[in-house]
Amino acid sequence: MTTVSPDTGVGPLLRGWRELRRISQLDLALRADSSARHISFIETGRSRPSEEMVLRLAEHLDIPVRERNALLVVAGYAPRYPQTPLDDPAMASVREGLDRLLAGYEPYPALVVDGTYDVVAANRGIALLMEGVPEELLVPPLNAMRITLHPAGLAPRILNLPEWRADLLAQMERQIALVRSPELRTLYEEVAAYPVEDRGAGTGDGDGDGVGAGTDAEVGGRSRERTPSFALPLVIEHGGRVLSFIASIATFNTPMDVTVAELAIETFLPADRETAAYLRERLP
């Protein structure tokens, strides 16, 4: 896993980000309206970038907002982006907007997590899926990764756990490569160490494609249609039913606050008619 080394100068840090993004000095210069020579001088410490240049390069390198603050400090400038707690009165409109979005997505599950996957908001669809999870895992702050992958959490009910677990861990690895977060690294090491039981997923059709290619299962005594193969589904048992979801993640566009930049809205779209009907029945 590649990480950006926390070197002592802004030049090496910017070079690390450029190499992580696999962008040449010339390409970065063209994007930032500069020259390859100037980019080289910045990276080697021969030239001190202005505050505007640091921010411009950070934008074109798609550096997370928290890390942009770190670059500014290393370069000798004040942080540009505040980190406002979500419960601050100034964030009231953000909280209200998120609550409306989650409620509007019902009966389908949706939640909002922060940069370490702590759940900051969730709707009734998520509460339904978490029925039966032990109380000790539901003590605030709830952590989405821990609840999903813990052997006493949702993991025993996820019928394609090996595939879903691998996808979640890869997601965390990509995030760790972008932000220096000891909390996120500790969480990753914890959930990656959880034992895994491969239960399979339904009867299948014998073609060896596995869950990613769709599965057949019995739902309420009826044959279930195959799950589409356009994305890896979350296949989970609930109340004797097999439910299938396709997950998507949304973030805020051009955030100007560290807290807002690290919020992610995850929604679960029913992957078949049976799942959609079951949720409408349970959460009218």
Side-chain angles (χ1 to χ4, degrees):
M1 179 172 54
T2 304
T3 58
V4 178
S5 174
D7 212 326
T8 56
V10 67
L13 283 173
L14 286 168
R15 182 177 66 245
W17 280 107
R18 180 180 59 76
E19 292 173 348
L20 183 64
R21 298 303 191 199
R22 299 183 180 181
I23 299 174
S24 70
Q25 290 181 344
L26 178 58
D27 286 339
L28 179 58
L30 292 173
R31 297 180 188 185
D33 193 24
S34 183
S35 67
R37 179 185 177 87
H38 186 43
I39 298 298
S40 176
F41 278 17
I42 290 174
E43 292 185 353
T44 58
R46 296 180 63 183
S47 177
R48 179 174 181 262
S50 66
E51 181 180 15
E52 179 187 0
M53 177 58 76
V54 172
L55 290 172
R56 193 188 315 164
L57 294 177
E59 178 181 358
H60 289 288
L61 290 171
D62 194 23
I63 297 176
V65 170
R66 180 185 295 275
E67 299 302 314
R68 296 186 193 190
N69 275 344
L71 284 172
L72 287 169
V73 171
V74 171
Y77 305 109
R80 173 67 65 92
Y81 305 96
Q83 184 172 357
T84 311
L86 199 57
D87 58 1
D88 190 285
M91 301 287 271
S93 60
V94 175
R95 296 195 308 272
E96 292 169 2
L98 290 174
D99 288 341
R100 286 196 298 269
L101 187 152
L102 297 181
Y105 198 70
E106 291 179 354
Y108 307 147
L111 74 163
V112 182
V113 298
D114 64 14
T116 56
Y117 296 95
D118 282 344
V119 178
V120 300
N123 67 5
R124 293 188 302 154
I126 290 293
L128 178 69
L129 292 183
M130 290 198 300
E131 289 178 353
V133 173
E135 288 296 326
E136 56 266 27
L137 289 180
L138 300 179
V139 176
L142 282 68
N143 187 274
M145 288 294 181
R146 185 175 293 116
I147 291 173
T148 301
L149 298 178
H150 197 282
L154 295 178
R157 291 164 38 199
I158 298 176
L159 303 185
N160 60 336
L161 179 60
E163 295 90 346
W164 192 250
R165 173 182 179 274
D167 186 71
L168 292 182
L169 292 181
Q171 176 182 319
M172 294 183 72
E173 289 172 356
R174 290 191 295 270
Q175 187 174 348
I176 290 171
L178 296 178
V179 294
R180 294 185 294 276
S181 171
E183 296 83 5
L184 187 59
R185 166 61 69 178
T186 299
L187 176 65
Y188 174 85
E189 292 174 351
E190 174 191 335
V191 299
Y194 291 158
V196 181
E197 178 185 357
D198 188 353
R199 296 177 52 188
T203 60
D205 59 6
D207 60 7
D209 289 340
V211 173
T215 63
D216 297 316
E218 290 295 322
V219 183
R222 295 179 289 108
S223 177
R224 181 193 192 88
E225 293 184 359
R226 287 175 55 84
T227 300
S229 59
F230 52 80
L232 177 69
L234 168 64
V235 184
I236 186 169
E237 183 273 334
H238 185 275
R241 302 290 187 101
V242 177
L243 308 180
S244 184
F245 298 94
I246 299 298
S248 66
I249 298 175
T251 56
F252 284 87
N253 186 40
T254 319
M256 302 300 291
D257 186 284
V258 174
T259 298
V260 174
E262 294 180 350
L263 294 178
I265 306 163
E266 186 162 10
T267 56
F268 294 85
L269 179 69
D272 53 49
R273 291 190 297 270
E274 292 87 354
T275 297
Y278 177 74
L279 292 171
R280 288 194 298 267
E281 175 187 334
R282 290 294 306 270
L283 300 173

